[in-house]
């Protein structure tokens, strides 16, 4: 959900200028000052958003803003600037350094603006204290490690079904990641050497998969298969597959000294208040269903759109073992075919 800097600069050339100016300051920061925000859909007139959110959308109409510029446009600073809801709902998009940019730097991909990628990478490298030439290999290793770890976790869930519900604790996660390191440093861990192996071949699809998957397959002691049309397989799947959208609506109790006096439904075009729990859930279900269908249609779904709804009651026990009601989360998932 991050637009690569190389793609952003191809669409808005000023992005390259902004990154060059940032690099020339020689700043080091724990904040992602090289990232920018751009407008995906204008909601500056939508009443369900705050005045600040609508004002920020208006500020982005002229083009992307860096984190520093975005904060300044709202009269705040980069440390306190917060627009999470707009980003979560896809109203604004973040532009940042991604593996796609690293591929441009290494010459494995050259469709967009490689200079913007190099500038962004140079800034990040300076912030984390490594040479700019070292960063691309570090990122490639991160991608390969993430692929390896997630494949191993899938294999373990298949072998030990209880992991599907219990999950992986931090110790096991660390052990899996360490096995990737050991696989890369073969022969250097004679005192303690371990790893994961599978007889299942890894079949890769997607344009960059040939860069990452072979080393992952080697670490798992198996073979890698890259089909002839691997580069367009994801695009084909998107065309013939289904489109889905999910929406959550929260129901929160309004407590008084006498107990719960009402319920607020947060979501949709506006908030609703009712004294009836049953009515609040009905409103939430209706709002969630509509929002999920609308979003699925916006993404291109058409025809018969099926909707499933899950109603989750959120409770906890206090020290006296009394059950405390925190609210209800209604989740609607809409699925429809693609309009061709």
């Amino acid at each position: 959900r991050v637009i690569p800097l190389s793609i952003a600069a191809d669409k808005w050339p000023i992005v390259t200028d902004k990154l060059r100016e940032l690099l020339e300051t020689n700043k080091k920061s724990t904040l992602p000052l090289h990232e920018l925000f751009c407008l995906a859909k204008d909601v500056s007139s939508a009443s369900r958003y705050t005045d600040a959110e609508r004002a920020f959308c208006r500020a982005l109409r002229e083009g992307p803003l860096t984190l520093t510029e975005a904060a300044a446009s709202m009269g705040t600073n980069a440390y306190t600037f917060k627009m999470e809801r707009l980003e979560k709902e896809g109203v604004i998009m973040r532009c940042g350094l991604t593996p796609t940019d690293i591929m441009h730097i290494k010459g494995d991909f050259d469709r967009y603006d490689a200079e913007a990628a190099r500038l962004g990478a140079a800034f990040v490298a300076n912030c984390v204290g490594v040479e700019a030439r070292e960063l691309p290999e570090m990122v490639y290793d991160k991608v390969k490690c993430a692929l390896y770890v997630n494949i191993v976790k899938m294999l373990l869930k298949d072998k030990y079904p209880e992991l599907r519900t219990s999950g992986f604790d931090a110790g096991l996660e660390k052990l899996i990641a360490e096995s990737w390191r050991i696989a890369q440093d073969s022969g250097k861990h004679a005192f303690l050497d371990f790893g994961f192996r599978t007889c299942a071949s890894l079949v890769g699809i997607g344009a960059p998969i040939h860069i990452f998957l072979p080393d992952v397959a080697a670490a798992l002691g198996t073979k890698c298969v890259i089909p002839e049309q691997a580069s367009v397989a994801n695009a084909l799947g998107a065309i013939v597959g289904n489109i889905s959208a999910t929406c959550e609506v929260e129901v929160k109790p309004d407590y008084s000294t006498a107990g719960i006096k009402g319920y607020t439904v947060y979501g949709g075009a506006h908030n609703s208040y009712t004294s009836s729990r049953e009515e609040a859930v009905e409103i939430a279900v209706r709002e969630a269903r509509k929002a999920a269908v609308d979003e699925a249609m916006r993404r291109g779904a058409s025809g018969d759109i099926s909707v499933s709804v899950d109603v989750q009651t959120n409770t906890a026990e206090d020290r006296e073992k009394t059950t405390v009601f925190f609210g209800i989360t209604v989740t609607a998932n809409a699925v429809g075919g693609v309009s061709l």
Side-chain angles (χ1 to χ4, degrees):
R1 300 190 63 172
V2 174
I3 299 174
L5 294 174
S6 52
I7 295 178
D10 190 68
K11 182 174 182 179
W12 300 288
I14 195 173
V15 168
T16 305
D17 297 332
K18 291 176 183 286
L19 291 171
R20 186 177 292 110
E21 292 172 4
L22 175 63
L23 187 62
E24 289 173 354
T25 65
N26 200 35
K27 286 182 179 178
K28 289 186 178 181
S29 176
T30 56
L31 295 175
L33 299 182
H34 64 289
E35 295 185 348
L36 304 96
F37 296 97
C38 65
L39 190 62
K41 54 184 179 181
D42 195 345
V43 297
S44 56
S45 60
S47 60
R48 67 182 293 257
Y49 294 97
T50 65
D51 291 342
E53 289 170 333
R54 293 197 296 269
F56 186 50
C57 287
R58 288 192 292 271
L60 290 175
R61 287 175 179 172
E62 301 301 317
L65 296 175
T66 65
L67 176 59
T68 302
E69 292 171 335
S73 74
M74 301 305 296
T76 183
N77 60 65
Y79 289 93
T80 58
F81 176 77
K82 304 292 182 185
M83 285 290 163
E84 287 92 345
R85 181 166 76 147
L86 292 181
E87 192 170 3
K88 180 181 178 181
E89 296 184 3
V91 174
I92 62 175
M93 290 288 290
R94 188 182 294 257
C95 309
L97 189 68
T98 76
T100 296
D101 295 307
I102 301 303
M103 290 166 62
H104 278 79
I105 296 171
K106 290 179 66 66
D108 291 323
F109 192 47
D110 61 1
R111 180 176 297 180
Y112 303 104
D113 191 332
E115 178 64 12
R118 282 190 287 268
L119 292 168
F123 177 78
V124 171
N126 186 46
C127 289
V128 299
V130 301
E131 295 291 331
R133 55 184 169 79
E134 298 175 1
L135 191 67
E137 285 303 327
M138 292 172 64
V139 174
Y140 269 29
D141 182 73
K142 282 279 190 183
V143 174
K144 293 173 185 176
C145 181
L147 277 171
Y148 173 87
V149 168
N150 281 285
I151 290 171
V152 168
K153 288 169 70 174
M154 287 194 305
L155 293 171
L156 287 173
K157 287 179 182 178
D158 183 70
K159 178 72 174 178
Y160 306 103
E162 60 270 21
L163 287 173
R164 298 173 187 172
T165 53
S166 65
F168 295 80
D169 61 28
L172 184 52
E173 291 262 10
K174 184 177 180 180
L175 191 71
I176 297 171
E178 182 62 21
S179 70
W180 165 256
R181 297 279 160 249
I182 291 176
Q184 303 315 295
D185 300 329
S186 180
K188 299 180 183 179
H189 293 268
F191 185 73
L192 178 62
D193 197 349
F194 65 92
F196 295 89
R197 297 289 183 270
T198 180
C199 63
S201 298
L202 302 186
V203 181
I205 61 172
I209 196 64
H210 66 282
I211 299 171
F212 305 111
L213 200 59
D215 286 348
V216 175
L220 290 168
T222 189
K223 65 179 181 178
C224 170
V225 179
I226 309 293
E228 183 179 354
Q229 303 298 331
S231 62
V232 297
N234 273 343
L236 181 61
I239 291 173
V240 303
N242 288 327
I243 289 176
S244 66
T246 300
C247 176
E248 283 189 358
V249 174
E250 297 285 344
V251 176
K252 297 295 184 181
D254 180 14
Y255 277 100
S256 69
T257 54
I260 298 175
K261 63 178 183 180
Y263 303 85
T264 302
V265 182
Y266 296 93
H270 58 273
N271 297 337
S272 302
Y273 187 86
T274 176
S275 60
S276 168
R277 177 168 170 174
E278 291 73 18
E279 184 180 4
V281 173
E282 289 178 4
I283 295 172
V285 169
R286 187 167 62 248
E287 292 279 354
R289 287 178 64 91
K290 183 179 184 306
V293 170
D294 288 348
E295 178 61 19
M297 293 177 66
R298 189 189 70 80
R299 296 180 184 183
S302 64
D304 293 329
I305 298 178
S306 62
V307 183
S308 60
V309 178
D310 176 67
V311 179
Q312 180 70 45
T313 301
N314 306 314
T315 61
E317 287 187 351
D318 60 18
R319 293 179 179 178
E320 284 73 37
K321 301 299 182 181
T322 301
T323 300
V324 180
F325 173 67
F326 287 109
I328 296 171
T329 301
V330 176
T331 305
N333 184 57
V335 180
V338 180
S339 176
L340 297 177

